[in-house]
Amino acid sequence: MDEQAASRGSWRHELRATIALAWPLILANLTMATIQAIDTFFMGQYGARELAAAALGINLGFLLNLVGLGIITAASPMMASALGRGAGKVKDVRRTFRQSLWLVVTITVPIWLLLANAEWVIGLLGQEPSLAAGAQTFLYGWMWSAFFFLVFNALRNFLAALERPGWILIISAAGIPINSLLDYMLIFGRLGAPELGLLGAGLATTITWGLMVIATVIVVLRDPQFRRYNLFARIWRPDWQRYCHMWRLGLPIGASMGAEGGVFAAAAYLMGLISAQALAAHAIALQIAALSFMVPWGIAQASTVRVGLMLGRSDKDGIARAGWSAWMLGVGFMSMTAVLMWVFPRELVGIFLADTAENAPVLELGVSFLIVAAIFQIVDGAQVVGQGILRGLHDTRVPMVFTFVGYWFIGIGIAVWLGFEAGWDGVGIWTGLAAGLAIVAVLMLARWMMRERLGLTSDEPSKKITS
């Protein structure tokens, strides 16, 4: 009986620890997603075609940001495992953080080059020339935010590994009113600012992320708990062994996140082949789904840290508790949001779109897309938490394969067939997305359940890197 009570106590402790770490990350994710939602909202008020053009730009830019974010996410389980081992943790964490900034610089330059020529890329994908030109205008202002976004998330990985994500929440929340004010001024030309339309929306995002990075750096330099890590000491000094190891660990994560983000970007471009109205409706439905996704994503980020800590301690029971606690929380929340989207689709879509006769077709399409989005909420939560707990075990390569097979071969394949061959149009594309997410969720869960048989619960490879 005492053993059963101790087991229940261990599970309650893990749930509390996961929630305590996850909720600031969740709220920080929500505030970051809200910044993008604010851009969508203001562009929706500015015009449906401008919203469609911005959607093309955002989908391309965000896809590249996701790949970069995935690569630097390698720092999170590495720092967590180092903290779990204890010995030499300050130096080890500093080395990892420093190389994550080297990764940011390496990644940002090609992102800028590609976004500076986005109109050509978007045109190759069959989009209307006027929409492609509008997307390029938006990206001329937005593209510089990629650097600030990645630096902010490198700092965020450090704070999360120390289980102190509260500062990220505070700073991210402050970005919401700042971005709202800048959008209002620069898109519409209010409060003495010039009316820049699409360019203004992009510039507002860049300025907001830049200010958030400055604020986070000040916190890391001044807070005594963080200052002792001396993160920016000799930042110019290379550490090629760790840099290469982070590439090996992070590139599959970036590819996985890019595969997932890319499939939604591909869906946007498929919508553009149907009509500008379908593309605008897709942008709204996707924005609503993305906001709900921020919760299981935050839980997944917390699970990477919790599983990584247990891995560093060689605690196999702790690994199991950390993983399953996060999985139940993520799937449970997304089950509730599925009900909400199913019951109130029109009200949710109406938040983002002005209620005019011109916008009525977009509203109806958005409602139909959101009903399908409600169906895949549960599997979306399952797959992202599944990836998070496997990353905590430093397992990234096989999950990368799962994402490519599930999203691109199955998901996009079904989406194209239903959308264009079967005549389902946009609803068919969203149905294909749901099918791809379901396949990936099943594969991730199966690999997690086989973790000990596959030898994933040993921390030996990570220990070699710190020697």
Side-chain angles (χ1 to χ4, degrees):
M1 192 69 166
D2 291 340
E3 186 176 334
Q4 291 180 347
S7 177
R8 288 195 297 270
S10 297
W11 279 96
R12 284 195 296 269
H13 172 77
E14 184 56 46
L15 279 168
R16 286 195 297 268
T18 301
I19 293 170
L21 177 57
W23 76 261
L25 293 172
I26 290 168
L27 293 178
N29 286 344
L30 285 169
T31 55
M32 288 191 291
T34 300
I35 291 174
Q36 185 169 314
I38 289 168
D39 290 338
T40 301
F41 169 79
F42 278 110
M43 292 312 304
Q45 306 306 305
Y46 198 68
R49 287 193 63 83
E50 286 80 4
L51 173 60
L56 292 175
I58 287 174
N59 274 279
L60 178 59
F62 191 62
L63 167 60
L64 298 174
N65 273 358
L66 275 179
V67 175
L69 176 60
I71 294 170
I72 67 170
T73 295
S76 185
M78 289 176 65
M79 288 189 285
S81 296
L83 292 167
R85 287 189 295 271
K89 64 181 182 181
V90 172
K91 181 181 178 182
D92 200 5
V93 167
R94 180 171 60 245
R95 288 174 62 192
T96 298
F97 175 80
R98 186 167 59 203
Q99 295 312 299
S100 71
L101 293 184
W102 277 62
L103 287 176
V104 168
V105 175
T106 307
I107 295 163
T108 300
V109 174
I111 289 177
W112 282 344
L113 289 174
L114 186 55
L115 293 183
N117 296 280
E119 182 176 358
W120 175 76
V121 175
I122 293 171
L124 286 179
L125 297 174
Q127 305 303 306
E128 290 184 32
S130 61
L131 293 181
Q136 182 67 81
T137 299
F138 170 80
L139 288 172
Y140 280 143
W142 188 92
M143 58 184 283
W144 312 106
S145 69
F147 174 75
F148 298 119
F149 173 82
L150 293 176
V151 172
F152 181 81
N153 278 283
L155 291 161
R156 170 195 173 112
N157 289 336
F158 166 73
L159 296 175
L162 267 65
E163 301 188 79
R164 287 284 306 276
W167 277 113
I168 294 295
L169 167 61
I170 294 169
I171 294 168
S172 299
I176 294 176
I178 293 171
N179 191 69
S180 300
L181 178 62
L182 290 170
D183 269 335
Y184 178 73
M185 293 171 60
L186 297 175
I187 293 175
F188 299 99
R190 304 292 168 79
L191 302 179
E195 181 180 348
L196 300 177
L198 285 162
L199 178 63
L203 287 173
T205 300
T206 292
I207 295 169
T208 300
W209 281 110
L211 293 173
M212 289 166 62
V213 167
I214 292 171
T216 311
V217 169
I218 291 172
V219 167
V220 167
L221 292 177
R222 295 182 63 87
D223 189 305
Q225 182 176 350
F226 308 140
R227 192 168 60 227
R228 70 193 184 98
Y229 285 87
N230 202 12
L231 289 181
F232 299 100
R234 292 178 292 182
I235 198 170
W236 59 87
R237 183 178 176 181
D239 185 345
W240 297 117
Q241 182 190 28
R242 187 156 301 220
Y243 178 83
C244 293
H245 178 70
M246 291 180 72
W247 267 111
R248 288 193 297 271
L249 181 61
L251 191 58
I253 301 176
S256 297
M257 294 178 69
E260 182 177 0
V263 81
F264 286 100
Y269 285 90
L270 291 174
M271 291 290 183
L273 297 177
I274 296 172
S275 69
Q277 292 175 332
L279 177 56
H282 172 79
I284 293 169
L286 184 59
Q287 189 62 70
I288 295 168
L291 286 170
S292 66
F293 177 77
M294 295 301 108
V295 175
W297 190 20
I299 294 170
Q301 291 166 325
S303 74
T304 297
V305 173
R306 293 297 303 169
V307 172
L309 285 169
M310 298 304 166
L311 180 68
R313 298 171 185 169
S314 299
D315 183 352
K316 292 183 179 180
D317 290 337
I319 289 172
R321 286 192 297 271
W324 285 118
S325 296
W327 196 86
M328 290 185 292
L329 288 171
V331 174
F333 175 82
M334 292 299 263
S335 299
M336 293 187 292
T337 63
V339 174
L340 184 65
M341 289 183 184
W342 186 270
V343 176
F344 301 108
R346 185 172 298 275
E347 290 79 2
L348 292 170
V349 174
I351 294 172
F352 290 87
L353 200 63
D355 187 10
T356 64
E358 181 183 359
N359 290 337
V362 179
L363 180 64
E364 293 301 323
L365 285 170
V367 169
S368 65
F369 296 165
L370 201 61
I371 291 173
V372 180
I375 298 172
F376 75 59
Q377 287 294 290
I378 298 172
V379 292
D380 201 11
Q383 64 85 22
V384 72
V385 177
Q387 291 190 61
I389 57 183
L390 289 173
R391 287 169 191 159
L393 298 176
H394 298 200
D395 180 35
T396 60
R397 295 183 183 179
V398 173
M400 173 188 68
V401 176
F402 290 166
T403 58
F404 275 100
V405 172
Y407 298 144
W408 287 95
F409 287 94
I410 298 175
I412 286 295
I414 293 174
V416 170
W417 185 79
L418 290 178
F420 297 95
E421 296 296 326
W424 289 24
D425 294 332
V427 172
I429 292 171
W430 274 81
T431 303
L433 296 178
L437 289 169
I439 293 297
V440 173
V442 171
L443 292 173
M444 295 294 179
L445 181 59
R447 186 163 178 83
W448 165 253
M449 294 175 71
M450 297 170 63
R451 61 192 178 279
E452 291 195 29
R453 193 186 317 169
L454 297 171
L456 300 178
T457 54
S458 171
D459 192 30
E460 289 303 318
S462 297
K463 291 177 181 176
K464 293 177 183 177
I465 296 300
T466 64
S467 60

